[in-house]
Amino acid sequence: MIAQLAVILFAAKLAGDAAVRLGQPAVLGKLLIGIVLGPSVFGVIEDTDLLQELSQIGVILLMFIAGLETDMDQFRRTGKAAVAVGVLGILVPLLAGYAAGAAFGMETGTALFLGLLLSATSVSISVQALKEMGQLQSKEGSAILGAAVIDDVLVVIALAFLLSLTGGDVELGAVVLKKAVFFAVAILLAWKAIPLVLKWFAPLRVTEAVVSAGLVICFAFAYFAEAMGVAAIIGAYMAGLGASFTDYREEVFEKVETIAYSLFVPVFFTSIGVAADFSGIVEHWPLIVGWSALAILTKLVGAALGAKWAGFSWGSSLAVGAGMVSRGEVALIIAGIGLEAGLLDGNMFAVMIIVVLVTTVVTPPLLKMIFSRLHPVRRTA
């Protein structure tokens, strides 16, 4: 594992630099080098449980940093857009995915599940691409982050509803109640508890007390979120939002960013490529191409229509839509649930895993292309 970490960090940094030199976000290079190093190509890096655990820490820290960087004034102003983007960004892929599944002769439950799978969004990749371009605090970036929270909640509730209809042991009322409890408690803790915890830790006569307090808060919120059926990254993001209102924001941000980007975040991006399984890609390539195109276009169009309805320009709307395209780890989790529940067979599961990877890899260059035209002056390498 130690040797693999050395290889991952070395390769990720070089690949990220190469991507930037080619005019692309560094995160794209890290994703692609993971595929090259993983079992699908050279097999230098193995997809171990420990690697996945380190990867999970990476994405949690990434979203915590995003919360610390969020401009709350901008976040409030884009509230209407976030709701519209979240809702339409679910409805369009859901209906299109169901229609495509039905056209292939799939059972109603399977077709609905595929539509729901296409509706999921994970903005961790988008957050990194936006950070690199200096657009995380833009109105588009704020709308993407807000919509991601709404998307996560609605998709999980819809999944619980579908599983209850198809005979799964799921109580919809309990799922909705747990979500409501999470957000109520998380908002209260972010408002009252986070400032107190940081203030209590600050005078301790130990090294990096404030940063340690920030990490305690981050991981506690992430764990609480997952325990309540919400994605851990949403909990980490809310922890970052709460810490951003304190006097310790800059110190926590600078130190956590150093910890995250020196080890855990590169492992996260690389591990996505390492986990890719291309077995059966030749046999099922028409399905992969078709479902990938459907996944990209429906989320892009649906989210863009939501942003446009909220008053964004067409350019800004497309930027928001592009930021919602990546399905990432959220869709992988949902796909696993579908396989276990019998809503996906083994072949379709393999196809959808590759589709999720395609949406993840496509997102950084798509964001780069749209934002470079939308904000040419503010664009950074």
Side-chain angles (χ1 to χ4, degrees):
M1 188 63 215
I2 293 172
Q4 289 194 17
L5 282 177
V7 172
I8 287 172
L9 295 178
F10 179 76
K13 295 301 180 181
L14 289 184
D17 178 74
V20 172
R21 292 176 186 274
L22 293 172
Q24 297 299 322
V27 63
L28 178 62
K30 296 171 186 176
L31 291 170
L32 294 176
I33 199 64
I35 296 174
V36 173
L37 294 176
S40 297
V41 184
F42 291 127
V44 177
I45 305 297
E46 297 178 7
D47 186 24
T48 63
D49 290 339
L50 181 55
L51 183 66
Q52 290 304 314
E53 294 294 340
L54 293 174
S55 170
Q56 176 76 346
I57 294 172
V59 69
I60 287 171
L61 292 178
L62 178 64
M63 294 306 293
F64 180 59
I65 292 168
L68 286 167
E69 283 194 282
T70 298
D71 182 340
M72 282 305 297
D73 291 333
Q74 185 71 269
F75 195 77
R76 293 188 193 98
R77 287 195 293 270
T78 56
K80 176 184 175 182
V83 173
V85 170
V87 172
L88 282 177
I90 289 174
L91 284 178
V92 173
L94 176 61
L95 295 175
Y98 169 73
F104 278 106
M106 296 178 181
E107 295 180 0
T108 302
T110 299
L112 280 172
F113 181 81
L114 286 171
L116 194 59
L117 183 60
L118 296 188
S119 304
T121 289
S122 177
V123 295
S124 52
I125 301 298
S126 299
V127 163
Q128 180 58 25
L130 291 169
K131 234 175 109 60
E132 291 179 28
M133 295 184 291
Q135 300 293 342
L136 190 58
Q137 298 183 21
S138 65
K139 66 177 183 178
E140 296 87 4
S142 297
I144 290 168
L145 287 167
V149 176
I150 294 165
D151 187 290
D152 177 72
V153 174
L154 293 181
V155 166
V156 172
I157 291 174
L159 177 62
F161 180 72
L162 178 59
L163 290 175
S164 66
L165 287 178
T166 54
D169 186 20
V170 176
E171 294 184 12
L172 183 61
V175 171
V176 175
L177 179 61
K178 286 173 71 175
K179 301 278 181 297
V181 169
F182 165 74
F183 282 102
V185 173
I187 291 171
L188 180 62
L189 291 176
W191 177 32
K192 293 293 186 180
I194 288 179
L196 286 177
V197 172
L198 290 170
K199 190 175 181 180
W200 288 339
F201 266 73
L204 296 183
R205 288 176 287 184
V206 291
T207 55
E208 306 296 355
V210 171
V211 181
S212 295
L215 291 173
V216 168
I217 291 165
C218 169
F219 293 137
F221 268 65
Y223 174 78
F224 178 50
E226 203 154 82
M228 300 301 284
V230 179
I233 58 176
I234 301 300
Y237 178 67
M238 294 191 69
L241 284 178
S244 71
F245 286 100
T246 69
D247 295 334
Y248 305 99
R249 174 189 173 278
E250 290 298 326
E251 182 179 357
V252 173
F253 171 77
E254 290 175 6
K255 297 293 179 63
V256 172
E257 187 177 48
T258 300
I259 294 169
Y261 281 92
S262 59
L263 174 60
F264 295 103
V265 172
V267 169
F268 164 63
F269 291 133
T270 307
S271 70
I272 294 175
V274 170
D277 181 6
F278 294 106
S279 58
I281 191 171
V282 175
E283 181 184 354
H284 300 297
W285 73 263
L287 276 177
I288 292 170
V289 171
W291 281 102
S292 295
L294 189 69
I296 294 167
L297 290 175
T298 53
K299 184 63 84 168
L300 177 66
V301 171
L305 288 175
K308 182 61 180 174
W309 180 80
F312 281 36
S313 68
W314 275 117
S316 292
S317 298
L318 286 174
V320 172
M324 300 293 289
V325 164
S326 175
R327 303 315 199 272
E329 71 282 356
V330 175
L332 294 177
I333 293 169
I334 293 175
I337 293 172
L339 182 65
E340 186 178 337
L343 292 170
L344 287 183
D345 60 26
N347 288 334
M348 201 61 199
F349 175 77
V351 167
M352 296 313 294
I353 293 301
I354 297 176
V355 169
V356 170
L357 179 65
V358 170
T359 64
T360 302
V361 172
V362 161
T363 297
L366 188 59
L367 279 169
K368 181 82 171 182
M369 180 181 69
I370 295 174
F371 269 101
S372 64
R373 296 178 180 179
L374 187 61
H375 301 297
V377 177
R378 295 171 59 189
R379 178 165 54 96
T380 60

